[in-house]
Amino acid sequence: MDFSLSDDQRAIQEMAQAFAREELAPHSAKWDEDSHFPVDVMRAAAALGFAGIYVQDDVGGSGLKRLDASIIFEALSYGDVATAAYLTIHNMASWMIDRFGSNDLRGRYLPRLTTMELIASYCLTEPGSGSDAAAMRTTAKKDGDHYVLNGAKAFISGGGVSDVYVVMARTGEPGAKGVSAFVVEKGTPGLSFGANERKMGWKSQPTAQVNFDGVRVHESNRIGGEGEGFRFAMMGLDGGRLNIASCSLGGAAFALDTAKAYMETRNQFGRPLKDFQALQFKLADMATELEAARLMVRNAADALDRRDPGATKLCAMAKRFATDAGFTVANEALQLHGGYGYLQDYPLERVVRDLRVHQILEGTNEIMRVIISREMFRQ
């Protein structure tokens, strides 16, 4: 296996790194402080192809692979974790429409999603069903050529701001086989939103409950067939887990570089921190964990691109390991800064806050262990 990047991948990486350096990093602290959702900057990212990375090119997508997406999201997260993470969600919702939607549905939404003229959210989690997603209670009852949706979705990134919501709702029997997927537009009567959640991190993107009270959706806005939605959602989460793991890599890489630079300039007991062997060892362990995580993520991305039957397990492994490692690296980088790391004048407390949620979303890391063990016994 060749772990080196191709010339095209290096060019994509350099483009994403330049965008992160010029358009994300200079504004990251202010966006966090003001809870500002940088739609204009995300649309600039879309102009580079970052809003439909693995969407087909006939509807404006970039037509790239999951490995390419991982490289892009790692690079973008080096500049701003929260904004890059939102782009992963938009990409996942767009991909579901592209992969499983009708040509009519693809044509109506994807050309505007790939430019981010329309912003997308992904609606699976509910107030009463987080890890047990198949126990969802949001319903979609058939009424002529429409479905009527009732229920609520929780912790929805972009809730209240996004234009398009990819929604999982129950159309049939209890359990996973009774779930279908729909595209719901903002402004549809009966669609409403809760207050913006007050979060520990990811402050530059809105998060709110999405409520459905007799929301009528035409059957042409169903993604795929009835009863297929949960399978689509789980397939989407394989890639989503790699994307959020990649964001952890980028945030952790920034934290590691920041800690290294601090150790070179900060003096204690008459010498720079970099001369203390205990701190050298800590930095070496941080770099090793980060490199191991990167290899796991890229290996899983390659497996997903090849449709390897073991890809789901590898994606869960990579998500669990990379998000745990990413948070640990950032937290240790903060510790190396001492009291300065705890101040908002320095960037590390923001990175630590942003990376913490990666161990929870796209399936908690406890659920990742459930998936891994289940796949092991299945094999």
Side-chain angles (χ1 to χ4, degrees), residues 93-267:
S94 298
W95 172 82
M96 286 189 65
I97 297 172
D98 183 48
R99 175 72 185 276
F100 304 113
S102 65
N103 284 331
D104 168 67
L105 198 63
R106 293 175 67 246
R108 280 192 284 128
Y109 289 106
L110 289 170
R112 290 182 291 164
L113 285 169
T114 54
T115 62
M116 292 195 82
E117 175 188 343
L118 298 179
I119 299 172
S121 288
Y122 177 81
C123 302
L124 175 63
T125 300
E126 298 189 355
S129 60
S131 295
D132 186 13
M136 70 177 63
R137 300 180 64 181
T138 297
T139 59
K141 302 293 186 183
K142 194 73 185 293
D143 181 24
D145 58 0
H146 283 72
Y147 288 86
V148 181
L149 275 63
N150 287 283
K153 299 294 180 177
F155 309 127
I156 304 305
S157 293
V161 176
S162 290
D163 306 288
V164 171
Y165 297 84
V166 174
V167 181
M168 309 302 140
R170 185 165 304 287
T171 53
E173 63 186 85
K177 293 182 179 179
V179 176
S180 301
F182 301 89
V183 177
V184 182
E185 293 187 19
K186 184 179 181 180
T188 303
L191 181 66
S192 65
F193 309 96
N196 190 19
E197 303 286 2
R198 299 172 60 195
K199 308 187 297 292
M200 172 181 172
W202 276 24
K203 290 191 172 184
S204 65
Q205 53 167 282
T207 303
Q209 183 164 302
V210 180
N211 305 305
F212 306 88
D213 183 10
V215 174
R216 295 183 65 83
V217 178
H218 194 271
E219 61 186 1
S220 62
N221 273 35
R222 191 187 64 222
I223 302 173
E226 275 199 10
E228 295 185 305
F230 193 79
R231 178 172 64 88
F232 298 164
M234 294 303 103
M235 291 177 68
L237 284 174
D238 279 344
R241 286 161 185 158
L242 293 181
N243 291 344
I244 213 64
S246 301
C247 291
S248 288
L249 296 178
F254 171 79
L256 179 65
D257 288 346
T258 302
K260 177 177 175 290
Y262 185 77
M263 287 174 61
E264 290 172 330
T265 57
R266 173 70 168 172
N267 287 289

Side-chain angles (χ1 to χ4, degrees), residues 262 266 334 337-349:
Y262 185 77
R266 173 70 168 172
L334 187 155
H337 279 68
Y340 291 110
Y342 198 65
L343 301 180
Q344 291 185 354
D345 301 292
Y346 289 75
L348 288 177
E349 62 84 30

Side-chain angles (χ1 to χ4, degrees), residues 3 67 73 95 144 157 241 253 256 278 327 336:
F3 290 100
L67 179 55
F73 290 131
W95 172 82
S157 293
R241 286 161 185 158
L256 179 65
F327 178 76
L336 285 169

Side-chain angles (χ1 to χ4, degrees), residues 263-282:
M263 287 174 61
E264 290 172 330
T265 57
R266 173 70 168 172
N267 287 289
Q268 289 290 279
F269 304 102
R271 52 182 175 151
L273 294 183
K274 70 181 181 67
D275 289 349
F276 292 89
Q277 190 177 63
L279 302 186
Q280 293 172 1
F281 282 10
K282 183 184 289 288

